[in-house]
């Protein structure tokens, strides 16, 4: 696997409704609220509140309490994991997208059929109160005999949602949920042969890195009583360069340009290593011919990556975001807000 190792960075963990320091369970049970209480814009203009979705997901083995930590063994060929998703809402159906990450890297996988189609995201539609069990099937993209790597799962709510062209707002759509990662123990080298299918195109290019000290005024913004969230939480932002509005970086209009300048930055708790993948219309895109960025968080500084997004091959309305997975850490998977990318004027 290829990576770009570009020093340091940080992120906001999204446990569906904002930042939290709780470690997720081995399977997740979550709720989607109509308003995000951690968003400074929520509640304005008569904003509503209330639960619009309840769901759970995780390996089937994680439902057997008292059975000990869940781990998986790789012995050659495909690995099959029994997994479940359940819609705990008795009043509405659920659309749920599932990602898999191996050692922080996006892992393509199949559902139920070993001869089916590999995808980085599989979307499920569940009826009211439906519990669905299925098999996640894949050959690990990396791994050698004797290694133990972490495998992580992340869910995205209502992934097919696309905001109205006049009022760009994703609301709580595309919010991410996750649970604890699991150990994948390799007894044989991986038999993966699909490297040519991984996102190596140079869609993000001209990547550069810089650091900026967090100002006293900025630290004050994150004070809550005797604590400062910058010391215990991680925050991330993705936006078009020159078009930054806090809590509202959700729209890009290319205006006929062939490239769009982007900034990806983070700040907060120090000492966490992440691997970050960028997604366009829910599919990973290449970064100067590589799969992901790797970085570490820095105390007291904002880490910033500038890059150009090639949009010359796109048309219509698109969705852009990034997902960052911690390695060798119990921190949460992080997703930036989804952004609406319109090609043309």
């Amino acid at each position: 696997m290829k990576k770009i190792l570009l020093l340091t960075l940080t992120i906001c963990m999204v446990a569906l409704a904002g930042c939290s320091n709780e470690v997720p369970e081995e399977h997740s049970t979550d709720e989607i609220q109509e308003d995000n209480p951690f968003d400074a814009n929520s509640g304005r203009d008569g904003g509503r509140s209330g639960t619009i979705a309840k769901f759970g997901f995780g390996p089937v083995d994680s439902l057997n309490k008292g059975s000990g930590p869940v781990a998986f063994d790789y012995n050659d060929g495909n690995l099959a994991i029994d997994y479940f998703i359940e819609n705990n809402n008795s009043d509405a159906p659920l659309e749920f997208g599932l990602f898999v990450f191996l050692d922080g890297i996006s892992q393509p996988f199949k559902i139920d059929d070993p001869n089916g189609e590999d995808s980085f995201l599989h979307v499920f539609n569940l009826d009211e109160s439906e519990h669905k069990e299925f098999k996640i099937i894949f050959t690990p993209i990396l791994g050698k005999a004797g290694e133990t790597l972490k495998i992580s799962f992340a869910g995205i709510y209502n992934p097919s949602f696309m905001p109205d062209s006049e009022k760009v707002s994703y609301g709580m759509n595309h919010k991410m949920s996750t649970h604890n990662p699991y150990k994948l123990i390799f007894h044989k080298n991986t038999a993966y042969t699909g490297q040519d299918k991984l996102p190596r195109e140079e869609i993000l290019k001209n990547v550069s890195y810089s650091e900026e000290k967090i100002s006293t005024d900025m630290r004050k913004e994150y004070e809550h009583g005797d604590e400062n969230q910058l010391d215990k939480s991680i925050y991330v932002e993705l936006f078009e360069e020159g078009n930054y509005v806090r809590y509202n970086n959700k729209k890009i209009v290319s205006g006929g340009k062939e490239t769009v300048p982007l900034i990806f930055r983070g700040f907060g708790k120090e000492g966490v290593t992440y691997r970050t993948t960028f997604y366009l219309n829910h599919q990973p895109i290449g970064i100067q011919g590589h799969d992901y960025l790797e970085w570490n968080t820095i105390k007291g500084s904002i880490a910033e990556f500038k890059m150009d997004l090639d949009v010359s091959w796109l048309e219509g309305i698109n969705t852009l975001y990034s997902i960052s997975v911690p390695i060798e850490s119990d921190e949460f998977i992080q997703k930036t807000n989804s952004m609406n990318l319109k090609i043309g004027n």
Side-chain angles (χ1 to χ4, degrees), residues 2-4 199-204 286-291:
K2 295 182 179 180
K3 65 183 178 182
I4 296 180
R200 297 277 166 75
E201 299 87 355
E202 192 170 321
I203 296 173
L204 287 168
I287 310 166
Q288 292 185 180
H290 299 266
D291 306 322

Side-chain angles (χ1 to χ4, degrees), residues 68-84:
V70 176
F72 307 104
D73 295 286
Y74 180 73
N75 294 298
D76 204 7
N78 280 329
L79 176 70
I81 296 174
D82 292 316
Y83 206 83
F84 78 91

Side-chain angles (χ1 to χ4, degrees), residues 296-326:
N296 304 293
T297 57
I298 315 166
K299 182 177 181 179
S301 292
I302 298 172
E304 180 176 283
F305 292 86
K306 291 186 177 181
M307 62 198 79
D308 292 326
L309 173 67
D310 180 3
V311 297
S312 63
W313 57 287
L314 290 171
E315 58 185 24
I317 307 297
N318 305 269
T319 293
L320 174 71
Y321 55 83
S322 69
I323 298 175
S324 299
V325 183

Side-chain angles (χ1 to χ4, degrees), residues 24 49 122 219 262 312 340:
S49 62
H122 285 271
R219 277 195 64 84
L262 299 176
S312 63
N340 194 242

Side-chain angles (χ1 to χ4, degrees), residues 186-226:
F186 286 81
H187 303 282
K188 295 283 185 68
N189 293 346
T190 183
Y192 188 72
T193 59
Q195 284 83 359
D196 60 329
K197 299 178 182 178
L198 299 178
R200 297 277 166 75
E201 299 87 355
E202 192 170 321
I203 296 173
L204 287 168
K205 50 192 176 181
N206 301 325
V207 180
S208 64
Y209 174 82
S210 62
E211 296 176 14
E212 178 184 344
K213 288 293 184 182
I214 292 175
S215 67
T216 301
D217 289 343
M218 182 175 178
R219 277 195 64 84
K220 287 181 179 179
E221 293 180 31
Y222 289 85
E223 288 180 356
H224 293 277
D226 295 331

Side-chain angles (χ1 to χ4, degrees), residues 119-317:
S119 180
F120 292 96
L121 173 73
H122 285 271
V123 178
F124 300 83
N125 289 280
L126 279 70
D127 293 329
E128 298 87 339
S129 303
E130 180 180 358
H131 176 97
K132 182 178 180 62
E133 295 188 6
F134 52 91
K135 289 186 182 296
I136 294 173
I137 301 171
F138 63 90
T139 301
I141 53 176
L142 73 165
K144 297 179 180 179
E147 288 186 331
T148 297
L149 301 180
K150 285 188 177 181
I151 181 170
S152 304
F153 303 89
I156 184 171
Y157 171 66
N158 210 11
S160 69
F161 175 84
M162 187 66 73
D164 183 271
S165 59
E166 297 299 322
K167 183 180 180 181
V168 176
S169 174
Y170 285 87
M172 294 307 292
N173 298 290
H174 296 194
K175 291 302 178 183
M176 178 162 280
S177 178
T178 186
H179 48 67
N180 275 340
Y182 306 91
K183 292 181 179 179
L184 177 53
I185 303 166
F186 286 81
H187 303 282
K188 295 283 185 68
N189 293 346
T190 183
Y192 188 72
T193 59
Q195 284 83 359
D196 60 329
K197 299 178 182 178
L198 299 178
R200 297 277 166 75
E201 299 87 355
E202 192 170 321
I203 296 173
L204 287 168
K205 50 192 176 181
N206 301 325
V207 180
S208 64
Y209 174 82
S210 62
E211 296 176 14
E212 178 184 344
K213 288 293 184 182
I214 292 175
S215 67
T216 301
D217 289 343
M218 182 175 178
R219 277 195 64 84
K220 287 181 179 179
E221 293 180 31
Y222 289 85
E223 288 180 356
H224 293 277
D226 295 331
E227 295 183 326
N228 194 296
Q229 296 301 309
L230 293 178
D231 298 327
K232 57 188 299 187
S233 298
I234 299 171
Y235 300 84
V236 71
E237 298 172 328
L238 176 64
F239 54 93
E240 181 182 13
E241 185 174 4
N243 189 25
Y244 175 76
V245 181
R246 194 173 184 192
Y247 302 117
N248 193 33
N249 308 313
K250 299 182 176 70
K251 185 176 182 179
I252 299 173
V253 178
S254 73
K257 296 178 292 186
E258 292 194 349
T259 61
V260 173
L262 299 176
I263 293 179
F264 174 60
R265 68 177 191 172
F267 45 92
K269 179 180 176 181
E270 68 173 322
V272 183
T273 300
Y274 287 92
R275 288 176 173 165
T276 299
T277 305
F278 293 85
Y279 292 82
L280 188 64
N281 300 325
H282 306 299
Q283 296 300 311
I285 55 177
I287 310 166
Q288 292 185 180
H290 299 266
D291 306 322
Y292 60 91
L293 298 178
E294 182 173 310
W295 43 265
N296 304 293
T297 57
I298 315 166
K299 182 177 181 179
S301 292
I302 298 172
E304 180 176 283
F305 292 86
K306 291 186 177 181
M307 62 198 79
D308 292 326
L309 173 67
D310 180 3
V311 297
S312 63
W313 57 287
L314 290 171
E315 58 185 24
I317 307 297

